[in-house]
Amino acid sequence: MLSSQDLKERANLHKSLEGLKKLADMHWKKYRPKMYQALKKKGELEESINLATKNKWEVMQKIQKQLIEQGYTQQQAEDTAWELMREEWIILPEESSEEEEESEREIDFMKLLSMDKPPRNIIL
């Protein structure tokens, strides 16, 4: 769970692609340290962050456009698109204290990143 301090620091990071990358890096480092270190050790951290953010940024932009066409204000569209997308791609759940096999977790994560659509349907 994000603390109020975390929320304040991250309040506007999702409003740009570079901010989204920074947000992913900060969140993964704090809440997914095993995954973060494994990707960093393999030299795949930057690529993984880029994959997780670029396609998702484009999807967020499309959702925002659709919401504006439906009568949402720009701010409402941004906030709603962010809420719909954040936990699917960027704000991943904390790692469990149970030991998981690193290779299985990495394979699942890379499959998730390579998807063009979020793993759950988002209905507007």
Side-chain angles (χ1 to χ4, degrees), residues 25-68:
D25 185 86
M26 290 170 30
H27 182 81
W28 295 0
K29 186 175 188 177
K30 184 172 183 177
Y31 295 101
R32 306 283 301 187
K34 293 174 190 171
M35 179 191 79
Y36 185 91
Q37 289 302 320
L39 290 169
K40 189 173 182 179
K41 185 177 178 180
K42 288 181 155 187
E44 298 174 355
L45 180 62
E46 188 174 334
E47 178 185 0
S48 296
I49 288 173
N50 287 336
L51 283 170
T53 55
K54 182 181 181 292
N55 290 338
K56 297 6 153 203
W57 176 256
E58 291 169 3
V59 171
M60 278 179 43
Q61 297 302 306
K62 288 178 186 177
I63 291 171
Q64 287 177 25
K65 183 179 178 189
Q66 290 174 348
L67 292 171
I68 289 169

Side-chain angles (χ1 to χ4, degrees), residues 1 4-5 8 14 18 24 33 45 49 51 58 62 65 68 70 72 82 91 97 99 101-102 112 119 123:
M1 191 65 147
S4 60
Q5 180 63 29
K8 287 177 186 175
H14 69 280
E18 289 306 312
L45 180 62
I49 288 173
L51 283 170
E58 291 169 3
K62 288 178 186 177
K65 183 179 178 189
I68 289 169
Q70 293 176 17
Y72 284 64
W82 172 240
I91 308 297
S97 58
E99 289 299 318
E101 288 223 11
E102 184 177 312
L112 177 70
I123 301 172

